[in-house]
Amino acid sequence: MFTLTMWVMLQTVSDHTPKYQDRLATPGLMIRPKTENLDVVVNVSDAESWGQHVQKLNKFLEPYNDSVQAQKNDVCRPGRYYEQPDNGVLNYPKRACQFNRTQLGDCSGLGDPTHYGYSTGQPCVFIKMNRVINFYAGANQSMNVTCVGKREEDAENLGSFVMFPAHGNIDLMYFPYYGKKFHVNYTQPLVAVKFLNVTPNVEVNVECRINAVNIATDDERDKFAGRVAFKLRINKT
Amino acid sequence: MGQKTPQIYSVELNGAKDMKQTDKGDDKDKYRGLWSTCLELRKNHHKEHVTKEIDLDDHKLSNKELENKYHTNIVTGLSSTQAAELLARDGPNALSPPQETPEIIKFLKQMVGGFSILLWVGAILCWIAYGIQFSNDKSSSLDNVYLGTVLALVVILTGIFAYYQEAKSTNIMASFSKMIPQQALVIRDSEKKIIPAEQLVVGDIVEIKGGDQIPADIRLLFAQGCKVDNSSLTGESEPQPRSCEFTHDNPLETKNIGFYSTTCLEGTATGMVINTGDRTIIGHIASLASGVGNEKTPIATEIEHFVHIVAGVAISIGVLFFIIAVSMKYRVLDSIIFLIGIIVANVPEGLLATVTVTLSLTAKRMAKKNCLVKNLEAVETLGSTSIICSDKTGTLTQNRMTVAHLWFDNQIFMADTSEDHFKQTFDQSSGTWASLSKIITLCNRAEFRPGQERVPIMKRVVVGDASETALLKFSEVVLGDVMEIRKRNHKVAEIPFNSTNKFQLSIHKTDDPTDKRFLMVMKGAPEKILEKCSTIMVNGQEQPLDQSTAEAFYTAYMELGGLGERVLGFCHLYLSADEFPETYSFDVDAMNFPMSNLCFVGLLSMIDPPRSTVPDAITKCRSAGIKVIMVTGDHPITAKAIAKSVGIISANSETVEDIAKRLNIAVEQVNKQDAKAVVVTGMELKDMSEDQLDEVLTSYPEIVFARTSPQQKLIIVEGCQRQDAVVAVTGDGVNDSPALKKADIGIAMGIAGSDAAKNAADMVLLDDNFASIVTGVEEGRLIFDNLKKTIAYTLTKNIAELCPFLIYIIVGVPLPLGTITILFIDLGTDIVPSIALAYEKAESDIMNRKPRHKKKDRLVNKPLAVYSYLHIGLMQSLGAFLVYFTVYAQEGFRPSTLINLRVEWEKDFVNNLEDSYGQEWTRYQRKYLEWTGYTAFFIGIMIQQIADLIIRKTRKNSIFQQGLFRNKVIWVGIASQIIIALILSYGLGSITALNFTMLRPQYWFVAVPHAFLIWVYDEVRKLFIRLYPGSWWDKNMYY
């Protein structure tokens, strides 16, 4: 009976899109390197402490290598959604747009002796937005990511930073997402933030949020809806 | 019968002398029994101490000595100041109420009993877990604190509830036992004063008259025609004469002592208070009775057994999974939280409260049927009763003498003895009846209290002794206004009854104005009356009394006596007008009238007849496998006669003596196996060893104990309990209270019962009617069956609550059911339905099966546990998991993805967990989905619990045989389930602390196929049980 009803139930579930997405109205933001409790701690003198972050980032950014992107993904027209409707026939697999590693500029880590700035105490942190199927982020208007210190002293300690792509822009062409089964080589857009002169030896609370028309960032309960908060600490001796 | 029965009426023709002696001895034994009860009960005290304590010698002292002893004066009484001092010294003259457990202790007991301990452990573990979390991480969530607090609240609330229920039923009793304040007429400062009896002190001189309750133990100083009713103290139902002479060494037997709380029936007396309050004889017995340990009720044992099973399962699964979790490299803290979850899932938090409610519902129902239950658990005890030791007087009988037979014209006529007594059908045309009725009417001193014209005759209050009352009522019913007849036949002389004469006589003018003769009427012991007669009236004609008529008389007398009836003879004589002119002055002392050659008219016999409902009730008990034993202080012949007429000894069974008589052989020659019934007297019982008593109790199905003392009642009860029987004892007197306490269920009489008996009893019969016990038994059995159903219903979902945890630990899926959600099932949706099962009607005739064996037929037996846990419970879990998987799959997490997702799922910083479709979820989004999962699982269980509720209506019959709609409360229960679930899901969906979310309406129906499966499965189970009784299936699947 259980097997039967389970089978019946699974028949109702489609392969490419979930039946309901009501919980995912607001995509969350996340940072890379993904650390325990989202604490990015960099001991400049201790190569081991940031070495693991660098390794993770290397691995994370591998699919974004320009060569890979060029091979698998399309060059799309920026500023508009890359829609691939089924029109009655399954349009499969769907194509994804190129997001080249070089777009990340100083944070691309390509030919970079500073290892994304970790060896010099000017680390890059990558911000990404959660994938949600059929979500038209930005509602046809441009959107970007901004970061601030959470409190006043954090803002002071945070110092200046630069963002890649410029202004933390995320292009519409990377949306909508069609699910991992169809959208095989999808690479989600990233925003890199390079912190240039963080006050060393203090913990700085940073909060980045996405500014988009259809993404609320003020959910009281879900602290990661359209935003991400993390701690940055540069230890220098 | 000596001083015991002052009446002439004896039931035996021969051996009156023997009887007198045996009875005397018997009485002594009776009293000794009473004392030895005291001795036995006060094991810790030195014997001398006890003897001294109860040793009264005031009855031996002269008035002068008494005055000196108590510093009082017989004429002037105590002074007020003296009295006040004594009152301060001795305390008020009232029985101190039985030692009550302090309320706070009772309350705390509720807090730690049953599952409470387990839940407390859970709550404390929660707080400890939070403490550890907090010390590691200051920002840790308060979930565990909430949970701990909720658990503690659950314990406290259910504790308060149980306490409240208990207190409520105790309060009923408290109001019930409240006595009307008693007054006493006392002489103080040479003045007669009326004071509350509580203020009496030792040395007070009190005056008593008929109808008063004796306000303290008193030594009589003066008495006139005083008779007291000692039945509440000694069990003797006959009135006892009191005088101021010292007649016996034993204070209980001497005539010059009156006992506290006994009633003065007639006459007046003056006495000196010699003991007050708890120091009175009755006070001793009452306080000693409370020393007899109260046995644990069968249902309490059953519930304890059940708690042990469930707690055992909870703890062993909890510990097992704790070990598994630790060895699976879970953190210890997490493992502790798993442990809490397992405990909470396993413990049916609401069940004990449900049981209490169920019991009190039944108690209420029984109260409506005149069984007032003092101790809630006693409700069920009555149902498992296998032996009832019943009193005779008042319980089986109407407790009033009633004319049962008449003999005149050489014929025995039967009179109607039913309670209303209205249709007297015997032949009333004979001239003899005219004469007999005249004697009955005239030779009688009893009178109705005035102002009762509207009261039915049988209920009117009469001044006079039991026999005279019976005759008065009888003649009033048959002839009409007796008072008017007596007025017309003016009484000119009278010799009241006394024990030497053994007759009563009066002389009247007749109502026939032409007849100037006086009519002398007389009644008394038949043989004495016959001695005085030379003629006998047959068909209205006087005939000489010859040998054959005398023989007919004796045959009739024997026959009526053999029925256990009290027989009276009646004769009359018209005094010739010549010898006794109208002006003749009769002198009762000189007896200046003839006392021989009278005309014998007839016999009339009386008995305290059985209540009309009793024989039927006894038959019901019998078919219900309950043995009814009569235990009475009354005479064996009467006891046997009543036993026969109510069916305690059934019509075709014989005692050894009966067989001997029938076969005309000696008693010793009779094969004891042939006898089904036995009458054991107190004398015989005294010489029996325990083994012999056991043998009597086991080998005879029909037993009557006659002439027993209160202490022997206790022995009989213990004997029955040795047979593993659940014993119910009925009683009314103070002397019964130890036996009432000792019994598994003591039943006191509400009308005739003394306060001590009511205090010792677990149940009070408001109408003193044995038939009420039978309805009680029925209710008790029904509640046992229904409790089984309730428990089976409640246990089933425990597995469905437990499985999520086990799957969560082993397979690592996100937690399917939260701990708080479990509490909402246990204390929310499931409460009303499980109470509703208490309203279920019996499946078959529960009064046709044997009482349950207290050690074999458990409330929770193996089939019940196995079937609930492993059959229905597992099916239910699968159904609920289906709903859970459906919700997750349709939201993006297919079952395959869920496996081993737990660790990532629960990491607070992972805000991009990928589902089966590549979408990424933040922690809060996942949490919300988890709560939706809880809600889904909850609804899944709830829907299947509806099916569970319906299948639990019966254990054997098909639901369609039982009727789906007969028990309306079940539907109220189902409605309550659905409404509570709706409120939780849609009303409180936004309250995060409760972890409920709005659930899509279609998810409510996902588990419905499983609900139907449960129903069908159970119908099949029941079908096989009905088809193959006694088979393996029946034994293992019938709970």
Coordinates of all heavy atoms in Angstrom, one line a residue, chain B residues 326-348:
Chain B
V326 N 25.0 7.8 19.5 CA 26.4 8.1 19.9 C 27.4 7.3 19.0 O 28.4 7.9 18.5 CB 26.6 7.8 21.4 CG1 28.1 7.9 21.7 CG2 25.8 8.8 22.2
S327 N 27.1 6.1 18.7 CA 28.0 5.3 17.9 C 28.0 5.7 16.5 O 28.9 5.4 15.7 CB 27.8 3.8 18.1 OG 26.4 3.5 17.8
M328 N 26.9 6.4 16.1 CA 26.8 6.9 14.7 C 27.5 8.3 14.6 O 27.3 9.0 13.7 CB 25.4 7.0 14.2 CG 24.8 5.7 13.7 SD 23.0 5.9 13.4 CE 23.1 6.7 11.8
K329 N 28.2 8.6 15.7 CA 29.0 9.8 15.8 C 28.2 11.1 15.8 O 28.6 12.2 15.4 CB 30.0 9.9 14.5 CG 30.9 8.7 14.3 CD 32.2 9.0 15.0 CE 33.1 7.7 15.2 NZ 33.1 6.8 14.1
Y330 N 27.0 10.9 16.3 CA 26.2 12.1 16.6 C 26.8 12.7 17.9 O 27.4 12.0 18.7 CB 24.7 11.8 16.9 CG 23.9 11.6 15.7 CD1 23.6 10.3 15.3 CD2 23.4 12.6 15.0 CE1 22.9 10.0 14.1 CE2 22.6 12.4 13.8 CZ 22.3 11.1 13.4 OH 21.6 10.9 12.3
R331 N 26.6 14.1 18.0 CA 27.1 14.7 19.3 C 26.2 14.2 20.4 O 25.1 13.9 20.2 CB 27.0 16.2 19.2 CG 28.1 16.8 18.3 CD 28.1 18.3 18.3 NE 26.8 18.7 17.9 CZ 26.3 19.9 18.3 NH1 27.0 20.7 19.1 NH2 25.1 20.3 17.8
V332 N 26.9 14.1 21.6 CA 26.1 13.7 22.8 C 24.9 14.6 23.0 O 23.8 14.1 23.3 CB 27.0 13.6 24.0 CG1 26.2 13.3 25.2 CG2 28.2 12.6 23.8
L333 N 25.1 15.8 22.8 CA 24.0 16.8 23.0 C 22.8 16.4 22.1 O 21.7 16.4 22.6 CB 24.5 18.2 22.7 CG 23.5 19.3 23.1 CD1 23.3 19.4 24.6 CD2 23.9 20.6 22.5
D334 N 23.1 16.2 20.9 CA 22.1 15.8 19.9 C 21.4 14.5 20.4 O 20.2 14.4 20.3 CB 22.6 15.6 18.5 CG 23.0 16.9 17.9 OD1 22.4 17.9 18.4 OD2 23.8 17.0 16.9
S335 N 22.2 13.6 20.8 CA 21.7 12.3 21.2 C 20.7 12.5 22.4 O 19.7 11.8 22.5 CB 22.8 11.3 21.7 OG 23.8 11.3 20.7
I336 N 21.1 13.4 23.3 CA 20.2 13.7 24.4 C 18.9 14.2 23.9 O 17.8 13.8 24.3 CB 20.8 14.7 25.4 CG1 22.0 14.0 26.1 CG2 19.8 15.2 26.4 CD1 22.7 15.0 27.1
I337 N 18.9 15.1 22.9 CA 17.7 15.6 22.4 C 16.9 14.5 21.7 O 15.7 14.5 21.8 CB 18.0 16.8 21.4 CG1 18.6 17.9 22.3 CG2 16.8 17.2 20.7 CD1 19.2 19.1 21.5
F338 N 17.6 13.6 21.0 CA 16.8 12.5 20.4 C 16.1 11.7 21.6 O 15.0 11.3 21.4 CB 17.8 11.5 19.8 CG 18.6 12.1 18.6 CD1 19.7 11.5 18.2 CD2 18.1 13.2 18.0 CE1 20.4 12.0 17.1 CE2 18.8 13.8 17.0 CZ 20.0 13.2 16.5
L339 N 16.9 11.5 22.6 CA 16.3 10.7 23.8 C 15.0 11.4 24.3 O 14.0 10.7 24.5 CB 17.3 10.7 24.9 CG 17.0 9.9 26.1 CD1 16.8 8.4 25.8 CD2 18.1 10.0 27.2
I340 N 15.1 12.7 24.4 CA 13.9 13.4 24.8 C 12.7 13.2 23.9 O 11.6 12.9 24.2 CB 14.1 14.9 24.9 CG1 15.2 15.2 25.9 CG2 12.9 15.7 25.3 CD1 15.8 16.6 25.8
G341 N 13.0 13.3 22.6 CA 12.0 13.1 21.5 C 11.4 11.8 21.7 O 10.2 11.6 21.6
I342 N 12.2 10.8 21.9 CA 11.7 9.4 21.9 C 10.8 9.2 23.2 O 9.7 8.6 23.1 CB 12.9 8.4 21.9 CG1 13.5 8.3 20.5 CG2 12.4 7.0 22.4 CD1 14.8 7.6 20.5
I343 N 11.2 9.8 24.3 CA 10.4 9.7 25.5 C 9.1 10.4 25.2 O 8.0 9.8 25.5 CB 11.1 10.4 26.7 CG1 12.3 9.5 27.1 CG2 10.2 10.5 27.8 CD1 13.1 10.1 28.2
V344 N 9.1 11.6 24.7 CA 7.9 12.3 24.5 C 7.0 11.6 23.5 O 5.7 11.5 23.7 CB 8.2 13.7 24.0 CG1 6.9 14.4 23.6 CG2 8.9 14.5 25.0
A345 N 7.6 11.0 22.5 CA 6.7 10.3 21.5 C 6.1 9.0 22.1 O 5.0 8.7 21.8 CB 7.6 9.9 20.3
N346 N 6.8 8.4 23.0 CA 6.3 7.2 23.6 C 5.3 7.3 24.7 O 4.5 6.4 25.0 CB 7.5 6.4 24.2 CG 7.8 5.2 23.3 OD1 6.9 4.5 23.0 ND2 9.1 5.0 22.9
V347 N 5.4 8.4 25.4 CA 4.5 8.6 26.6 C 3.2 9.1 26.1 O 3.2 10.2 25.5 CB 5.2 9.5 27.6 CG1 4.2 9.8 28.7 CG2 6.4 8.9 28.2
P348 N 2.1 8.4 26.4 CA 0.8 9.0 26.1 C 0.4 10.0 27.1 O -0.2 9.7 28.1 CB -0.1 7.8 26.1 CG 0.6 6.7 26.8 CD 2.0 7.1 27.0

